[in-house]
Amino acid sequence: MDATDGLTTVDRSRHETGLLPDEGSIADGDTGVDSASSTDSASSTDSASSTDSASGTDATSSTDGTSSDGGTVVIVSIAAGSFSTCLVLEGGGVTCFGRNAEGALGRGTFTMEAEKPAPVVGLPAPAVALAHRGGHACALLADARVFCWGSGGAGLLGFPVVGDAAAAPPSAVPIEIVGAKGAVEVATSGQHDCVRLGDGSVRCWGSNAAGEVGDGTTTARVAPTPASSLPAVPVQLALGANFSCARLVDQRVACWGANGQGQIGQPAEVLSATKPSLVFGVTDAVDLVASSEEVCVRRAAGEVACWGRPTIGSARFGATNVASLFGAKRLALGDILSAAAWPDGSVRQWGAVPYPSDGGLAFDTTGVPTVGLTDVVGLAAGWQHVCATRKDRTLWCWGDGLNCVIGDALGTKEFEPANISY
């Protein structure tokens, strides 16, 4: 074990495969993901596994399934962007499907949609983990390099920011992020990216309008820039729109960036912070996830606490335990639809929940059972869709199918989980 990162060998393998604790078979990883790691984010002192977030994150086996051509493929991890979904396959290949307006599928073209998964082209080494959000994706490779593709706004792809930062060019093929070598975790908000390095440091780049890079400024960065003054060694990252958070080895959480919705855990009078600040009342976090404006942690005793824009009974300012999520072992926060999985493989969802009985949507803030889905061992949430992997090694998605985001025909919605051929 690296003395600087507080991670055990077992923890690393758990985070890489994305399995729920005590599961004997395989599952996905991210990240409604917005964060993915080839090492786990768990502290060696955690009293519960911390490998269950949507951040790409108990055995080292993998998830296989039947591909569209009748062959057998194996899913190592899964990550959901706003309108697309990507998979890491055994052997390190990456495949994506959904919307491709900014090259988010990494296929070398900007063709708008793709219903079925197809390979990302040009990755020079096997991928071990993914981070995906908005129209932007990053892969952490086995050689500890990071390659990103899709949206390039605000310098996300390392291009110099000239004039309108949001107009920086996208890329339909992966581009290496210079300065991210040595990464053990990568996270994205779709507007800025961060890596956690093997030496325990965090570096971020991209948009920095609210201080989300964490370097004490609000200047956009086109290269990985150290986040300053972290109060302890970070072991897990989670990013949202204009903010960043890190779970620390001592189970506290530090956040920085925008606080208009309370998303960095500071009082209402604090509008933003350009350097990391501790979230009050969180001293026992074993897992960390974020959506655009909300953050949740799993606590060592089984509670789930959230802060930021409330979607499931939490308060806006300050960490609040959510009774209906007690005992959840995996959280996947989307911007409109979110889900959680329990050790028995059941799933509950909240937000814009699709109801098959009437073919409509209803906004739920308590968490309702997901019909027709059992034995779930992995989850990832996008903007308004969720994908899950099961013990039987199949992939299931539901929610808004606009732009083929769930691998179905253009413009359809899946009101119940649908099996996706990959």
Side-chain angles (χ1 to χ4, degrees), residues 199-273:
D199 63 7
S201 65
V202 171
R203 296 184 180 186
C204 303
W205 66 98
S207 174
N208 195 26
E212 56 265 42
V213 167
D215 65 344
T217 78
T218 55
T219 302
R221 301 298 182 183
V222 299
T225 302
S228 60
S229 305
L230 279 166
V233 174
V235 294
Q236 187 181 15
L237 302 175
L239 309 187
N242 303 119
F243 75 94
S244 308
C245 292
R247 183 169 63 88
L248 308 177
V249 70
D250 58 11
Q251 299 187 334
R252 295 179 297 169
V253 172
C255 298
W256 57 99
N259 195 51
Q261 296 290 330
Q263 59 267 55
I264 64 170
Q266 299 303 308
E269 59 268 22
V270 178
L271 299 180
S272 64

Side-chain angles (χ1 to χ4, degrees), residues 365-394:
T365 60
T366 60
V368 297
T370 301
V371 178
L373 192 64
T374 59
D375 297 326
V376 167
V377 292
L379 282 175
W383 181 68
Q384 196 177 337
H385 77 286
V386 176
C387 291
T389 50
R390 299 179 58 192
K391 278 186 179 180
D392 64 3
R393 305 179 172 190
T394 54

Side-chain angles (χ1 to χ4, degrees), residues 32-410:
V33 162
D34 64 352
S35 171
S37 173
S38 63
T39 69
D40 176 86
S41 37
S43 161
S44 59
T45 61
D46 287 351
S47 58
S49 169
S50 61
T51 61
D52 315 314
S53 73
S55 50
T57 68
D58 161 329
T60 58
S61 48
S62 305
T63 303
D64 67 0
T66 302
S67 66
S68 56
D69 64 3
T72 298
V73 294
V74 180
I75 296 178
V76 174
S77 65
I78 181 172
S82 291
F83 302 104
S84 53
T85 306
C86 293
L87 315 171
V88 177
L89 306 179
E90 187 177 59
V94 178
T95 183
C96 300
F97 57 96
R99 187 177 182 182
N100 193 39
E102 295 187 282
L105 304 185
R107 300 182 179 194
T109 73
F110 293 96
T111 302
M112 285 297 291
E113 287 86 32
E115 294 180 25
K116 300 301 179 183
V120 171
V121 300
L123 288 173
V128 296
L130 280 176
H132 193 13
R133 185 76 83 179
H136 180 77
C138 294
L140 173 61
L141 305 187
D143 60 10
R145 290 183 293 167
V146 172
F147 280 71
C148 300
W149 62 94
S151 172
L156 278 176
L157 298 175
F159 300 139
V161 176
V162 179
D164 182 5
S171 177
V173 296
I175 293 175
E176 182 175 5
I177 304 301
V178 177
K181 176 70 174 177
V184 296
E185 182 180 11
V186 60
T188 184
S189 71
Q191 300 174 37
H192 74 294
D193 297 337
C194 295
V195 290
R196 179 168 58 89
L197 302 184
D199 63 7
S201 65
V202 171
R203 296 184 180 186
C204 303
W205 66 98
S207 174
N208 195 26
E212 56 265 42
V213 167
D215 65 344
T217 78
T218 55
T219 302
R221 301 298 182 183
V222 299
T225 302
S228 60
S229 305
L230 279 166
V233 174
V235 294
Q236 187 181 15
L237 302 175
L239 309 187
N242 303 119
F243 75 94
S244 308
C245 292
R247 183 169 63 88
L248 308 177
V249 70
D250 58 11
Q251 299 187 334
R252 295 179 297 169
V253 172
C255 298
W256 57 99
N259 195 51
Q261 296 290 330
Q263 59 267 55
I264 64 170
Q266 299 303 308
E269 59 268 22
V270 178
L271 299 180
S272 64
T274 60
K275 293 183 179 181
S277 300
L278 289 170
V279 176
F280 179 76
V282 178
T283 59
D284 56 353
V286 296
D287 193 22
L288 172 71
V289 296
S291 65
S292 289
E293 296 181 315
E294 185 178 26
V295 183
C296 295
V297 293
R298 286 194 307 109
R299 312 187 93 148
E303 298 96 341
V304 172
C306 301
W307 60 92
R309 180 175 60 86
T311 63
I312 188 167
S314 60
R316 190 176 303 271
F317 294 98
T320 306
N321 284 347
V322 179
S324 61
L325 294 180
F326 181 84
K329 288 295 184 181
R330 187 171 184 83
L331 305 172
L333 295 187
D335 293 326
I336 295 181
L337 180 64
S338 300
W342 272 258
D344 64 1
S346 63
V347 173
R348 300 180 75 87
Q349 58 183 318
W350 64 96
V353 175
Y355 280 89
S357 59
D358 59 11
L361 300 173
F363 199 85
D364 178 85
T365 60
T366 60
V368 297
T370 301
V371 178
L373 192 64
T374 59
D375 297 326
V376 167
V377 292
L379 282 175
W383 181 68
Q384 196 177 337
H385 77 286
V386 176
C387 291
T389 50
R390 299 179 58 192
K391 278 186 179 180
D392 64 3
R393 305 179 172 190
T394 54
L395 174 66
W396 299 75
C397 300
W398 67 98
D400 194 341
L402 181 65
N403 304 116
C404 318
V405 70
I406 56 174
D408 207 338
L410 177 64

